[in-house]
Amino acid sequence: MTAPTLPGATAVTAFTVNGAPVELRSPGGRRLLDVLRYDLGLTGTKEGCGEGECGACSVLLDGDVVNSCLIPVAQVAGHAVRTVEGLADDGRLGTLQSAFLETGGAQCGICTPGMLMAAEAFIASGAPATDEAIREAIAGNLCRCTGYTKIIEAIALAAGAAGSGLPGAAPGEVRRAEAPAWAGPEVVQPGSLSEALELRAARPGLRPIAGGTDLMVMVAAGTLARDVPLLDCWSLAELRGIAIEGDELVVGALTTYAELRRSPVVAGALPALAQAAATVGAAQIQARGTIGGNIANASPAGDMLPVLLATDASIVVASIRGERRVPAAVFWTAYRETACAPDELVAAVRIPLPPGRQVRFRKIGTRRAQAISKVVMAVAWRTDGAPGAPGDAGASPVAGSPWHDVRVALGSVAEVPLRAPATEALLEGATPSAELAEQAAAAVMGDIRPIDDVRSTAAYRRAVTGRVLRRIVLDALG
Ligand SMILES: Cc1cc2nc3c(=O)[nH]c(=O)nc-3n(C[C@H](O)[C@H](O)[C@H](O)COP(=O)(O)OP(=O)(O)OC[C@H]3O[C@@H](n4cnc5c(N)ncnc54)[C@H](O)[C@@H]3O)c2cc1C
Ligand code: FES
Ligand code: FES
């Protein structure tokens, strides 16, 4: 095992900002946002919420739009950061900035740098600049005074103009900066999975961090003590990748929501997984949030978890003792508790692909983006004689045939994500009908144990859970 990098207060992180090289002496857990604003004086990047919700701190990281308030600077080592200052073209406003001026897309301006960076990433993606696509691209950026119409107009205008890409920046001299004495947690960066597992065994106090979209919020809120050192998993190549192996879909723990959404393998084998990924947060969260983080975070509202329960997935966990597979059905053991031992890491998820299986996913939140679910549901079943082979999700349900191997899985309706046993028993072997849809709706309301909280009441959650399942059964009628 080679010595891991132990950043602490004396570590140097090298990366580029707007094309210019930077070397920063700082604890690796210092937020990229603070490095940009306070250590490098790039105050164009703003802080609003400090917890991933508002997008004011958006920058580009290797071209992806991300929230700089959620990124420990150690994770940008060797990467390219672009800030709003980098949009200017030789000291003049760039095409996108000019479009915002022309259409009146900015008033107080607090959201504008973040909006510009989200817009820049969208335009660079080459996606058609439809109203809906632009709305989705900026869904992680809140504007409280201009109103979105003018902003959308500006982005459409810039997308249609030639040369709206970022201007190239001359490398220039290396900029050296130093952070204040306490500036963030220590980040330990292993070079391989085996090093990470040895560290996990030797230093149980190290807290794994993947995309940081949950963990950095905890650091900011003080719910994670600020002296807890972090074990950086983000660059462990062994935990990346999406593949079909035999009759299983295998997804590495570090796979992001953005990767799930654009994977042709997922689209072919299990579109419900991509559909679930598309409902998480907004572009900034999808670029960094991982499926392994969702699994290990064990929130009852984790959007991926019902899909994993409904598809009989296994969670692969790894330690220096080896790998083991834990069925999703027994992985989430209590509120925010998992079957993962203290020396283990979530390595992957393996999802069986039985022929002819159908999977439906629904999420109910207050709005389409950045909404933690009030209820999230995945339903899987197989019908006799349905066509399809492992990895073929194109098989259409055989209307009028009985359902088999029925799984009804739910999130946000109990202290853990759960399956609905009485509902599954009712639907098993039954043929969809209007009457069955009513019975299933009543059964599922009895299977759950929702609570009142800030997002919803128990009564609403119960009623909407019944309605969502009724609709899924009715839709299967054709
Ligand atoms: C604005 C905002 C919106 C969000 N919207 C949604 C949403 O709509 N739906 C939803 O489900 N979630 C949402 N989240 C939560 C979060 O984005 C997801 O749970 C995400 O999947 C976490 O992944 P991560 O890689 O960022 O995890 P991290 O924050 O890095 O880690 C999360 C937890 O998992 C542990 N961990 C991470 N990786 C591993 C591993 N491989 N092995 C063992 N332990 C590990 C960490 O120690 C930590 O306890 C949102 C978060 C924010 C800030
Ligand atoms: S400051 Fe609001 S998302 Fe970062
Ligand atoms: S311009 Fe004021 S918040 Fe958007």
Side-chain angles (χ1 to χ4, degrees):
M1 171 176 161
T2 56
T5 317
L6 296 171
T10 57
V12 174
T13 308
F15 54 107
T16 66
V17 178
N18 300 324
V22 170
E23 283 181 8
L24 175 81
R25 188 174 292 278
S26 148
R30 183 160 172 78
R31 302 183 309 170
L32 176 60
L33 173 61
D34 297 327
V35 170
L36 294 171
R37 286 181 59 83
Y38 304 116
D39 305 341
L40 301 176
L42 295 170
T43 51
T45 304
K46 305 297 180 209
E47 174 156 16
C49 63
E51 52 183 46
E53 298 276 352
C54 74
C57 66
S58 298
V59 297
L60 301 190
L61 183 56
D62 297 338
D64 290 329
V65 65
V66 297
N67 291 319
S68 60
C69 68
L70 297 184
I71 298 188
V73 71
Q75 290 190 337
V76 306
H79 295 277
V81 177
R82 287 280 186 179
T83 67
V84 70
E85 287 85 355
L87 285 182
D89 194 357
D90 203 15
R92 295 186 308 277
L93 292 182
T95 311
L96 185 56
Q97 292 165 304
S98 302
F100 268 64
L101 265 188
E102 203 171 310
T103 61
Q107 285 184 27
C108 78
I110 182 76
C111 74
T112 309
M115 282 288 181
L116 287 166
M117 301 320 286
E120 183 59 41
F122 170 71
I123 292 172
S125 76
T130 60
D131 188 83
E132 195 184 340
I134 297 173
R135 277 180 195 279
E136 185 181 351
I138 58 166
N141 297 77
L142 298 183
C143 176
R144 282 290 168 261
C145 58
T146 297
Y148 294 89
T149 308
K150 301 234 174 271
I151 293 173
I152 291 164
E153 216 177 291
I155 298 170
L157 182 67
S164 60
L166 285 167
E173 284 193 6
V174 177
R175 250 191 99 177
R176 294 190 170 81
E178 185 144 4
W182 192 89
E186 174 195 9
V187 178
V188 180
Q189 292 188 293
S192 66
L193 178 58
S194 60
E195 276 184 28
L197 297 178
E198 284 184 36
L199 280 161
R200 191 99 167 106
R203 292 183 63 184
L206 284 174
R207 183 68 178 261
I209 178 167
T213 59
D214 278 311
L215 203 78
M216 291 299 282
V217 174
M218 291 164 65
V219 172
T223 47
L224 184 72
R226 59 184 213 167
D227 56 355
V228 172
L230 306 180
L231 176 65
D232 186 11
C233 300
W234 181 254
S235 48
L236 299 177
E238 299 94 323
L239 302 188
R240 293 200 178 274
I242 301 172
I244 304 276
E245 288 181 13
D247 57 2
E248 288 181 325
L249 172 65
V250 185
V251 180
L254 289 179
T255 306
T256 63
Y257 298 113
E259 287 165 345
L260 287 172
R261 286 188 73 177
R262 61 175 177 251
S263 162
V265 176
V266 173
L270 188 57
L273 194 65
Q275 205 188 334
T279 70
V280 174
Q284 291 87 337
I285 298 297
Q286 291 177 13
R288 300 290 295 182
T290 63
I291 191 167
N294 207 238
I295 291 168
N297 193 50
S299 162
D303 284 326
M304 308 310 284
L305 313 185
V307 181
L308 303 183
L309 279 170
T311 54
D312 294 328
S314 295
I315 316 301
V316 182
V317 292
S319 70
I320 52 170
R321 294 169 287 122
E323 269 190 12
R324 63 188 182 108
R325 294 184 186 193
V326 184
V330 293
F331 189 81
W332 298 285
T333 50
Y335 180 69
R336 292 203 173 250
E337 299 280 338
T338 73
C340 207
D343 66 340
E344 287 175 323
L345 284 176
V346 175
V349 54
R350 301 187 78 97
I351 306 172
L353 299 171
R357 182 186 57 196
Q358 298 294 314
V359 186
R360 299 287 179 270
F361 171 84
R362 300 281 186 278
K363 170 175 171 175
I364 307 295
T366 34
R367 56 195 173 112
R368 270 173 65 187
Q370 300 286 55
I372 303 296
S373 56
K374 294 169 187 278
V375 173
V376 53
M377 182 185 296
V379 180
W381 73 91
R382 206 176 43 72
T383 48
D384 285 335
D392 172 17
S396 47
V398 178
S401 301
W403 284 11
H404 297 292
D405 301 333
V406 182
R407 306 279 183 268
V408 178
L410 296 132
S412 288
V413 291
E415 66 289 355
V416 286
L418 46 70
R419 293 223 338 234
T423 315
E424 289 180 1
L426 174 87
L427 291 169
E428 187 63 39
T431 302
S433 65
E435 191 189 352
L436 185 69
E438 292 306 324
Q439 291 167 349
V444 80
M445 289 194 267
D447 266 332
I448 59 177
R449 24 180 206 278
I451 55 164
D452 291 325
D453 67 15
V454 287
R455 287 198 299 279
S456 195
T457 62
Y460 176 82
R461 286 191 160 107
R462 216 178 273 286
V464 88
T465 303
R467 274 208 301 278
V468 170
L469 184 60
R470 181 191 297 120
R471 175 46 54 200
I472 289 175
V473 177
L474 287 175
D475 284 350
L477 279 170

